[in-house]
Amino acid sequence: MGRVGLIEDAVILAEGRLSVFGAKTASCILRYANEAVVAVLDSTNAGKTAEAVLGFGGAVPIVASVKDSLKYKPKQLVIGIAPIGGGLPPEYREIVKEAIESRLSVVSGLHYMLNDDEELYDLAQKHSVKLLDVRRPPDELTVSKDEARFLPVFRCLTVGSDCSVGKMVVSWEVAKALRKKNINAQFCATGQTGMMLSGWGICVDRVISDFVAGAAESLVKKVSDADIAMIEGQGTIYHPAYSGVTLSLLHGSCPNIMILCHHLGRTHIKQYDVSIPPLKKIVYDYEYVSAYTHPAKVVGIGLNTVDSDEETARKACIELERELNLPVTDCVRFGPEPLADAVFKEFKQWKSVWKK
Amino acid sequence: MGRVGLIEDAVILAEGRLSVFGAKTASCILRYANEAVVAVLDSTNAGKTAEAVLGFGGAVPIVASVKDSLKYKPKQLVIGIAPIGGGLPPEYREIVKEAIESRLSVVSGLHYMLNDDEELYDLAQKHSVKLLDVRRPPDELTVSKDEARFLPVFRCLTVGSDCSVGKMVVSWEVAKALRKKNINAQFCATGQTGMMLSGWGICVDRVISDFVAGAAESLVKKVSDADIAMIEGQGTIYHPAYSGVTLSLLHGSCPNIMILCHHLGRTHIKQYDVSIPPLKKIVYDYEYVSAYTHPAKVVGIGLNTVDSDEETARKACIELERELNLPVTDCVRFGPEPLADAVFKEFKQWKSVWKK
């Protein structure tokens, strides 16, 4: 029983989809906030533990239904998937209703706003539970004033070769590693899972397109008295649907440096017929488009090797390090230290100039 | 008295701001739909005609107040400005209220939704008039499926060195010139003025950022049985606040070709401390970022020379033509034919391949 960020004594809904890429939100919560999770709902894996299915998440039990979860005294149902388009899968609707009827609050990061769904809203009112739509942007957003680049906080943005390659994980892990060095490093959440974990942020992909850079700017402003802002990246500049979100976030947060994240072995944008270029070109392209408003260099690579064996993963890191002349690590498998060191080195240099 | 697109017997509100760049929406309506305009409201120019102040717009009278406009029997008040951030200027509020009380409908392209303003909404209900928020996106939008590039319509997107350089005007003028050649060319509006003129479209900068490319895709799909889609561009990839809107529109509409628009003499992004690169680099950059998903080349330059004298304008066109080896024209001053010819030539080539 416990609480981390927005998550408290939660059942994580991942019905039929519990895997690292199939239920991104569920996985990250189980990785970083499993003390706040009482159960996972996935009837296809019922009876196992999170650890047994995912390789992490500890002894959190997997149950087949809301009813089966009640013995663990949950307070919340958290929707643990992040599907393309952000709709509520039809087969999840009945589960959400059952949770509300069982007096669980519902935490959702979908584009589909539970509070705008009359049936669910009325049901929640009736049972006195809350529906928390994490993706709902704050009302007061407006356009960027291009001020992030003048703030006294060192900014590191994670960027990617595609969606769901591990940008949130790298930002989170590097921030944690920097804090261990007694650096005040703050994680800036720009997506639903990051917000659930950290308890604040803005889901920039839900923001009116004119205001996305402004939203990113406002996040960086909120941590402007920290040493380092680790900003969670979104999408990729190569994505046929989301490239604009990526560019707005890049130009709005005005990073000093970037960490490029990639899923080892992925050759095409997930669910689209668009190839992913070689990493050398990706590094070049991010540095090139950053410089449209403010120069930023890529200082390291976060390689997601989750579906490779350890030898393949280690070899890939070494080969990429040689090829790109940059530190490369899988933060989860081999630890974030090489990236944290690279960020810290750049921060020190920047600070020595900034203070003058 | 008349109607063009969404505009019908309208008073155009441009209080204190009537100029080509100060009241972009007013100017374009006066240029292309002045038969649907009965008066312009700008007390600082009252008594003059649109033509006398702007150099176009004909004998449309300029009046000092809503009351003074009533003798021209208006049906609508159209908000004729497009300010950064899209708010309703406080000094416009009383004018809008007076218009509603005088039984005029109000057409607005602001981000600020008149229908969400309780006082204005109630007042409109009371006087049985409509508030038309042109920028409100349709409900059914979702993510792009990357399908535009497979549609049987030839796509030409206008792109720019900055906001408000004339992308709407160039798209509109070239579409008109192509129709004179008996080509079925359709104008796809992506901004408020374009929508007011054409009567349809989507203001993409108001759309949820995840869905902008999808919105662009849906516009192109709507004209997929035309020969050529002339797609109105937005923003610029160099804009600290709006670059993401530009990139989403570019990747979502998947142009075959582009026309680059520039305002002669402008050296910096309007209201921001960001320099505009040389046109040669801009051409390179748009072709480069297009190719992330689909290759497209720039086939001509639309040069806005509105505040230069004719000799300077002509010289600039000739010099740029030499430098870039592309046709260059100011569509308003010298006519759109060089650009229409370039588009037509590319269309013919594409069609000969496409049909096979």
Side-chain angles (χ1 to χ4, degrees), chain A residues 83-101:
Chain A
I84 288 239
L88 178 69
E91 70 274 20
Y92 278 30
R93 191 177 180 87
E94 288 307 310
I95 304 176
V96 169
K97 282 165 64 177
E98 195 190 337
I100 295 171
E101 284 159 354

Side-chain angles (χ1 to χ4, degrees), chain A residues 179-219:
Chain A
R179 285 195 296 269
K180 273 193 203 153
K181 292 177 192 279
N182 285 319
I183 303 296
N184 180 359
Q186 295 293 326
F187 170 79
C188 296
T190 62
Q192 56 270 35
T193 310
M195 278 186 74
M196 289 181 196
L197 288 175
S198 68
W200 74 287
I202 300 172
C203 289
V204 295
D205 62 2
R206 179 77 197 174
V207 169
I208 286 171
S209 62
D210 246 8
F211 299 166
V212 174
E217 183 179 79
S218 77
L219 289 177

Side-chain angles (χ1 to χ4, degrees), chain A residues 315-329:
Chain A
K315 233 176 107 182
C317 288
I318 293 167
E319 274 171 15
L320 267 180
E321 276 199 6
R322 266 192 214 132
E323 187 195 332
L324 302 171
N325 198 26
L326 289 171
V328 181
T329 185

Side-chain angles (χ1 to χ4, degrees), chain A residues 5-276:
Chain A
L6 304 173
I7 310 298
E8 186 174 11
D9 298 344
V11 181
I12 310 293
L13 174 54
E15 177 60 22
R17 311 192 188 196
L18 187 60
S19 71
V20 170
F21 292 112
K24 204 169 78 159
T25 300
S27 297
C28 285
I29 292 172
L30 286 163
R31 192 188 297 282
Y32 295 118
N34 75 336
E35 63 268 43
V37 179
V38 300
V40 174
L41 198 166
D42 175 10
S43 63
T44 61
N45 283 297
K48 302 180 190 167
T49 63
E51 187 85 28
V53 174
L54 295 170
F56 55 86
V60 171
I62 302 177
V63 298
S65 66
V66 171
K67 200 178 150 204
D68 289 354
S69 78
L70 296 181
K71 63 179 164 198
Y72 303 107
K73 301 205 182 349
K75 292 184 183 161
Q76 293 176 338
L77 180 81
V78 176
I79 297 179
I81 58 165
I84 288 239
L88 178 69
E91 70 274 20
Y92 278 30
R93 191 177 180 87
E94 288 307 310
I95 304 176
V96 169
K97 282 165 64 177
E98 195 190 337
I100 295 171
E101 284 159 354
S102 308
R103 308 236 159 183
L104 303 194
S105 291
V106 184
V107 179
S108 165
L110 299 173
H111 270 306
Y112 187 83
M113 296 284 129
L114 303 185
N115 281 294
D116 293 347
D117 180 310
E118 220 169 292
E119 188 190 11
L120 298 180
Y121 179 82
D122 289 347
L123 202 62
Q125 291 291 100
K126 187 178 154 194
H127 293 279
S128 304
V129 300
K130 281 184 190 156
L131 304 179
L132 182 59
D133 287 308
V134 173
R135 225 167 185 166
R136 172 104 56 193
D139 287 332
E140 71 281 6
L141 295 176
T142 184
V143 298
S144 163
K145 299 200 182 82
D146 194 25
E147 289 174 354
R149 58 191 168 123
F150 304 109
L151 295 173
V153 57
F154 188 68
R155 300 167 304 280
C156 176
L157 175 70
T158 47
V159 294
S161 59
D162 192 3
C163 295
S164 76
V165 292
K167 294 179 282 280
M168 200 283 284
V169 167
V170 169
S171 305
W172 184 268
E173 291 277 1
V174 171
K176 206 163 65 177
L178 287 166
R179 285 195 296 269
K180 273 193 203 153
K181 292 177 192 279
N182 285 319
I183 303 296
N184 180 359
Q186 295 293 326
F187 170 79
C188 296
T190 62
Q192 56 270 35
T193 310
M195 278 186 74
M196 289 181 196
L197 288 175
S198 68
W200 74 287
I202 300 172
C203 289
V204 295
D205 62 2
R206 179 77 197 174
V207 169
I208 286 171
S209 62
D210 246 8
F211 299 166
V212 174
E217 183 179 79
S218 77
L219 289 177
V220 180
K221 276 187 175 171
K222 274 204 182 107
V223 298
S224 62
D225 53 6
D227 294 319
I228 298 176
M230 288 299 306
I231 304 147
E232 178 193 359
Q234 292 295 333
T236 175
I237 46 171
Y238 307 107
H239 202 289
Y242 305 139
S243 57
V245 180
T246 309
L247 194 63
S248 296
L249 180 54
L250 179 60
H251 286 167
S253 64
C254 253
N256 301 97
I257 57 169
M258 298 177 280
I259 296 174
L260 173 61
C261 303
H262 177 61
H263 177 198
L264 182 60
R266 199 180 300 185
T267 59
H268 283 75
I269 300 292
K270 221 176 161 184
Q271 303 189 30
Y272 287 83
D273 184 25
V274 173
S275 338
I276 294 174

Side-chain angles (χ1 to χ4, degrees), chain B residues 128-167:
Chain B
S128 304
V129 300
K130 281 183 190 156
L131 304 178
L132 182 59
D133 287 309
V134 173
R135 225 167 185 166
R136 172 105 57 193
D139 287 333
E140 72 279 6
L141 294 176
T142 185
V143 298
S144 163
K145 299 199 182 84
D146 194 26
E147 289 174 354
R149 58 191 168 124
F150 304 110
L151 294 173
V153 57
F154 189 68
R155 300 167 305 278
C156 175
L157 175 70
T158 48
V159 294
S161 59
D162 192 3
C163 295
S164 76
V165 292
K167 294 181 281 282

